[in-house]
């Protein structure tokens, strides 16, 4: 068994805030300030420290990229849904004659309020169209497998 050399005393000057943070951290972890300072210095001087930091940043960037891709996909689905609805509505809804058009314009505010209320209820439920579509697709897939 190799004998470890005796540790040597090393004095440093710390900013009061850094010293307080070190003291608090040591107390929370039930470790000595010396041990924490030694570990921090060793980590700072470690040649692979920069590589570890780079790996952490790369991992976070990958996560953000995946999330952004999902958001982009969801926005694309939303835009296509609205476009399909508008095309369908325009193709199937005939223009109203003038007397009926005046009556319809009078109902616009009431119908819009009803739409906003329904949308608010839907958003409060938490389930999204994307979730419903994926559940429908999964149900169809399961039905096809049996």
């Amino acid at each position: 068994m190799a004998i470890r050399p005796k540790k040597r005393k090393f004095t440093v000057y710390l900013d009061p805030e850094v010293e307080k943070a070190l003291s608090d951290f040591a107390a929370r972890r039930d470790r000595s300030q010396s041990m924490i300072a030694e570990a921090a210095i060793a980590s700072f001087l470690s040649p692979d420290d920069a590589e570890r930091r780079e790996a952490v940043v790369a991992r976070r960037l990958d996560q953000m990229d995946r999330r952004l891709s999902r958001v982009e996909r969801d926005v694309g689905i939303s835009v296509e849904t609205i476009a399909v609805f508008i095309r369908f509505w325009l193709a199937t809804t005939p223009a109203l004659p003038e007397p009926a058009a005046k009556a319809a314009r009078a109902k616009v505010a009431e119908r819009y309020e009803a739409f906003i209320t329904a949308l608010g209820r839907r958003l409060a439920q938490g389930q999204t169209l994307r979730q419903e579509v994926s559940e429908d697709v999964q149900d169809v897939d399961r039905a096809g497998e049996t």
Side-chain angles (χ1 to χ4, degrees):
M1 180 166 121
I3 299 174
R4 284 179 43 172
K6 185 177 175 186
K7 291 187 178 186
R8 298 176 61 192
K9 182 178 179 178
F10 183 74
T11 305
V12 296
Y13 295 97
L14 298 175
D15 193 67
E17 288 120 21
V18 174
E19 190 277 329
K20 174 92 171 92
L22 175 62
S23 174
D24 292 346
F25 186 82
R28 278 194 316 270
R29 301 291 179 160
D30 197 26
R31 301 279 190 245
S32 71
Q33 291 181 21
S34 179
M35 189 206 72
I36 293 170
E38 181 181 356
I41 292 168
S43 175
F44 186 79
L45 297 175
S46 172
D48 65 335
D49 182 58
E51 293 169 4
R52 273 188 279 141
R53 287 185 197 166
E54 185 178 330
V56 167
V57 169
R59 200 167 36 250
R60 287 184 182 161
L61 285 173
D62 287 343
Q63 290 171 348
M64 290 172 63
D65 184 51
R66 284 192 300 275
R67 288 179 185 151
L68 198 54
S69 294
R70 282 193 299 262
V71 167
E72 184 178 12
R73 183 200 67 205
D74 291 350
V75 167
I77 290 170
S78 299
V79 168
E80 287 301 314
T81 301
I82 292 169
V84 168
F85 173 77
I86 290 170
R87 283 187 189 130
F88 177 78
W89 185 81
L90 290 173
T92 59
T93 306
L96 296 173
E98 190 54 39
K102 286 181 182 176
R105 281 192 288 276
K107 288 283 267 183
V108 165
E110 180 183 329
R111 293 178 73 192
Y112 183 74
E113 267 310 306
F115 169 75
I116 294 299
T117 302
L119 179 62
R121 276 195 311 267
R122 171 91 179 178
L123 292 174
Q125 287 176 348
Q127 182 145 359
T128 63
L129 175 66
R130 180 178 56 86
Q131 291 169 324
E132 282 183 11
V133 169
S134 66
E135 288 170 1
D136 290 346
V137 169
Q138 289 171 359
D139 290 345
V140 168
D141 288 346
R142 286 186 198 129
E145 292 174 1
T146 57

